[in-house]
């Protein structure tokens, strides 16, 4: 059997680009493909390998590209197919990989498929979407709620039926029980795979199949008025249905028609449900995104438990992965503070499993307050007050201290953080002690040392507020000690050890020889090569 231990997506680091906010090349204030092209050297020098680009397809942009109106095109705002081909080629020339977003659960309501589907009840594409008669009182067919607020059902006057949309009403859900839908999306996947795209991050994978009988979801006993109306019910019948795994397997088969391509699933579920997405025979997603570090409170005991619960729950050949930030969640530096964000970075890049870095987190970018009249995110606009805006974590990348942080010559689509003059790539690149320099060092050593990319994970239990573990490959061992709090703690494991600090969140400690019982200052993280 082929040795799969060193597959690129196991060894390497993935970097998420939110294309609207990465780099604008044409002055319209919105990032684009040519912009990404201009910054490939940066990404290569940084040391990340897999570039995941959030949707770049034609779209009315009701949900900023997560409402696709053509699965095999490029939105003119981002460029054209030539620009894409050139970008893909340049990525490959650098030995890097390109992962696209795939949004199969729903299309745009402006997709020709939906325009046809809503034409009449007997249109051949009627069954491509989820249409239902009203209930006896003329209301929605059941109590399912939209993630973005209100009922998930929208009435269509013309044909007298409702259609289901898990997100915006401009994002009707495709009917994945229909084989024609499956084929249409699989063909779109093949279109990109044939071009050489290295894989997909599949949007809301756990939503793809709904209960066959459309049973009402159970009321959520913990619902309170401050929550989004989505939380009124528990999505027991509208998400994570068993048959979804057949769909994932089919997608995986498409991926496997090509060499070494990657299937990532976006899945927000508890660990025991999440790991099922690897597939029973490892024929599911290669990497069902693990969002625990995004979801858990920053509490060492909870994080420690979760890491080990995850390690324990993984199927035999299931490769772990870790995510610290994305375009839907508050930035790590804002969630846990600047100091702890450094600890988090060290954790992300030393735990066992493929890390995904969200653009800008390598600079310690923070959420940016967006004035009310500038809010763009439909999640916030749809449910003012309770729907959390995702704009703060989507602000433009901070390249340098020139006007608009070097992101655009025009008016940026979202405000740029006020701190960009101090917090930017140009200043941080070589600056000892900067967040970027810390990332560069961690990425470098991670790439060089098999113990840190494919090595075993061995937990070390000491003080409950310290997180520590060993990564081991053949005779190479690294000890990682992370203080998740602000007070000094004692590290005294029940074994003898000695080693050299290779990377520290306090860079003045690098090169130090340490052994056995030591004090760990608050907010300190150490990566130690054991001797
Ligand atoms: C995913 C995307 C999010 C989008 C939603 C609907 O969660 O990450 O940005 O709004 O799906 O497509
Ligand atoms: Mg542009």
């Amino acid at each position: 059997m082929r040795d799969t231990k060193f597959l690129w997506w196991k060894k390497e680091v993935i970097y998420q680009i939110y294309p609207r906010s990465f780099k604008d090349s044409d002055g319209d204030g919105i990032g684009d493909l040519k912009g990404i092209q201009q910054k490939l050297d940066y990404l290569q020098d940084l040391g990340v390998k897999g570039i995941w680009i959030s949707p770049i397809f034609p779209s009315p942009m009701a949900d900023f590209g997560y409402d696709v109106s053509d699965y095999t095109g490029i939105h003119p705002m981002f460029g054209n197919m030539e620009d894409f081909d050139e970008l893909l080629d340049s990525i490959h020339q650098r030995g890097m990989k390109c992962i696209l977003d795939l949004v199969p659960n729903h299309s745009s309501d402006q997709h020709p498929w939906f325009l046809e589907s809503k034409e009449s009840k007997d249109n051949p594409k009627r069954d491509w979407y989820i249409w239902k008669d009203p209930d006896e009182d003329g209301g929605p067919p059941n109590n399912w709620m939209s993630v973005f607020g209100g009922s998930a059902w929208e009435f269509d006057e013309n044909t007298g039926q409702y259609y289901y949309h898990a997100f915006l009403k401009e994002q009707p859900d495709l009917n994945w029980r229909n084989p024609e839908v499956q084929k249409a999306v699989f063909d779109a996947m093949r279109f990109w795979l044939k071009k050489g795209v290295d894989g997909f991050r599949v949007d809301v994978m756990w939503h793809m199949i709904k209960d066959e009988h459309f049973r009402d979801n159970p009321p959520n006993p913990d619902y309170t008025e401050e929550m989004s109306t989505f939380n009124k019910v528990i999505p027991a019948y509208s998400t994570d249905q068993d048959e979804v795994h057949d769909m994932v397997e089919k997608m995986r088969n498409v991926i496997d028609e090509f060499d070494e391509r990657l299937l990532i699933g976006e899945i927000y579920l508890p660990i025991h449900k999440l790991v099922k997405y690897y597939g029973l025979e490892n024929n599911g997603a290669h990497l069902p995104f693990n969002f625990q570090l995004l979801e858990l409170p920053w509490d060492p005991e909870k994080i420690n438990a979760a890491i080990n619960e995850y390690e324990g729950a993984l199927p035999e050949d299931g490769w772990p992965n870790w995510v610290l930030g994305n375009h839907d969640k508050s930035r790590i530096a804002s969630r846990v503070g600047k100091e702890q964000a450094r600890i988090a970075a060290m954790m992300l890049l030393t735990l066992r499993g493929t890390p995904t870095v969200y653009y800008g987190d390598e600079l310690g970018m923070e959420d940016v307050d967006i004035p009310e009249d500038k809010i763009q995110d439909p999640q916030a606009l749809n449910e003012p007050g309770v729907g959390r805006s995702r704009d703060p974590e989507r602000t433009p990348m901070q390249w340098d201290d020139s006007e608009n942080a070097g992101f655009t010559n025009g008016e940026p689509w979202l405000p740029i953080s006020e701190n960009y003059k101090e917090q930017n790539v140009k200043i941080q690149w070589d600056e000892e002690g900067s967040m970027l320099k810390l990332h560069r060092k961690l990425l470098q050593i991670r790439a060089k040392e098999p113990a840190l990319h494919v090595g075993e994970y061995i937990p070390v239990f000491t003080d409950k507020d310290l997180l520590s573990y060993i990564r081991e490959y053949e005779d190479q061992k690294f000890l990682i000690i992370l203080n998740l709090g602000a007070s000094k703690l004692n590290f005294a494991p029940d074994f003898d050890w000695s080693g050299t600090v290779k990377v520290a969140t306090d860079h003045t400690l690098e090169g130090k020889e340490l052994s056995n019982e030591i004090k760990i200052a608050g907010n300190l993280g150490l990566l130690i090569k054991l001797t």
Side-chain angles (χ1 to χ4, degrees), residues 96-149:
M96 292 157 75
K97 309 281 182 181
C98 176
I99 298 157
L100 290 186
D101 223 299
L102 179 76
V103 193
N105 177 70
H106 44 268
S107 72
S108 160
D109 65 342
Q110 298 306 308
H111 195 296
W113 299 340
F114 188 71
L115 295 178
E116 277 185 53
S117 185
K118 70 184 269 198
E119 228 156 61
S120 68
K121 276 182 167 174
D122 54 12
N123 185 283
K125 291 228 165 40
R126 186 66 168 181
D127 186 52
W128 280 42
Y129 292 84
I130 300 171
W131 292 97
K132 288 267 156 216
D133 287 330
D135 75 353
E136 298 94 71
D137 315 324
N142 67 21
N143 70 356
W144 296 0
M145 302 301 287
S146 154
V147 176
F148 291 154

Side-chain angles (χ1 to χ4, degrees), residues 31-156:
D32 42 51
L33 294 178
K34 282 213 165 82
I36 299 176
Q37 176 88 33
Q38 289 170 11
K39 295 299 181 184
L40 285 183
D41 286 344
Y42 166 71
L43 296 172
Q44 184 176 19
D45 294 347
L46 181 62
V48 295
K49 279 284 157 71
I51 312 296
W52 154 34
I53 311 175
S54 283
I56 47 175
F57 317 108
S59 159
M61 295 282 163
D63 189 20
F64 295 114
Y66 284 96
D67 48 325
V68 177
S69 55
D70 173 3
Y71 284 93
T72 55
I74 299 289
H75 195 301
M77 181 187 279
F78 295 125
N80 57 35
M81 198 55 88
E82 251 168 65
D83 299 332
F84 178 77
D85 291 340
E86 196 186 325
L87 178 64
L88 182 62
D89 201 43
S90 312
I91 289 176
H92 286 159
Q93 273 171 22
R94 287 171 166 78
M96 292 157 75
K97 309 281 182 181
C98 176
I99 298 157
L100 290 186
D101 223 299
L102 179 76
V103 193
N105 177 70
H106 44 268
S107 72
S108 160
D109 65 342
Q110 298 306 308
H111 195 296
W113 299 340
F114 188 71
L115 295 178
E116 277 185 53
S117 185
K118 70 184 269 198
E119 228 156 61
S120 68
K121 276 182 167 174
D122 54 12
N123 185 283
K125 291 228 165 40
R126 186 66 168 181
D127 186 52
W128 280 42
Y129 292 84
I130 300 171
W131 292 97
K132 288 267 156 216
D133 287 330
D135 75 353
E136 298 94 71
D137 315 324
N142 67 21
N143 70 356
W144 296 0
M145 302 301 287
S146 154
V147 176
F148 291 154
S151 168
W153 295 95
E154 179 72 11
F155 188 62
D156 173 53

Side-chain angles (χ1 to χ4, degrees), residues 19-20 23-33 35 76-79 407-408:
R20 295 180 70 87
K23 170 71 188 169
D24 176 26
S25 74
D26 59 2
D28 67 351
I30 299 174
D32 42 51
L33 294 178
M77 181 187 279
F78 295 125
F407 164 70
T408 181

Side-chain angles (χ1 to χ4, degrees), residues 63 66 103 106 148 167 171 201 203-204 266 327-328 390 394:
D63 189 20
Y66 284 96
V103 193
H106 44 268
F148 291 154
F167 296 88
Q171 295 167 295
R201 169 269 191 193
D203 194 62
V204 296
E266 185 208 16
H327 62 295
D328 296 325
R390 299 168 297 177
R394 296 176 174 181

Side-chain angles (χ1 to χ4, degrees), residues 293-460:
L293 298 179
L294 272 176
E295 304 259 275
L296 283 175
W298 203 249
D299 166 333
E301 281 187 277
K302 293 217 164 81
I303 291 178
N304 209 344
I307 294 170
N308 291 291
E309 196 194 328
Y310 180 60
E311 279 282 351
L314 285 168
E316 203 182 320
D317 293 313
W319 182 249
N321 76 90
W322 296 94
V323 180
L324 259 191
N326 65 30
H327 62 295
D328 296 325
K329 302 285 170 185
S330 175
R331 282 197 183 265
I332 184 74
S334 296
R335 270 188 289 129
V336 306
K338 281 187 192 167
E339 290 299 324
Q340 281 297 313
R342 300 165 71 82
I343 301 293
M346 189 172 270
M347 189 188 308
L348 174 73
L349 296 173
T350 59
L351 279 173
R352 191 176 80 103
T354 308
T356 300
V357 175
Y358 183 50
Y359 87 93
D361 279 355
E362 75 272 30
L363 305 176
M365 271 176 67
E366 293 157 87
D367 291 347
V368 176
D369 261 338
I370 311 289
E372 203 126 325
D373 61 321
K374 290 234 164 77
I375 296 182
Q376 308 269 344
D377 182 14
Q379 171 161 297
L381 295 171
N382 248 28
E383 278 197 296
V386 292
R388 189 187 162 270
S389 172
R390 299 168 297 177
D391 294 337
E393 62 265 23
R394 296 176 174 181
T395 63
M397 178 71 172
Q398 296 162 206
W399 293 106
D400 56 39
D401 57 5
S402 70
E403 204 182 347
N404 293 323
F407 164 70
T408 181
N409 300 324
E411 178 70 24
W413 77 285
L414 275 178
I416 289 170
S417 171
E418 281 170 9
N419 67 21
Y420 80 89
K421 294 227 158 151
E422 300 82 50
Q423 207 172 57
N424 62 59
V425 171
K426 193 168 159 218
I427 288 181
Q428 287 194 23
W429 186 258
D430 278 320
E431 187 186 32
E432 270 312 325
S434 75
M435 184 68 153
L436 184 54
K437 189 77 191 236
L438 175 65
H439 274 82
R440 289 179 59 201
K441 287 182 190 167
L442 287 166
L443 286 161
Q444 242 165 34
I445 192 164
R446 192 182 188 283
K448 205 174 75 194
E449 298 286 352
L452 292 174
H453 51 254
V454 298
E456 296 296 318
Y457 162 87
I458 302 149
V460 175

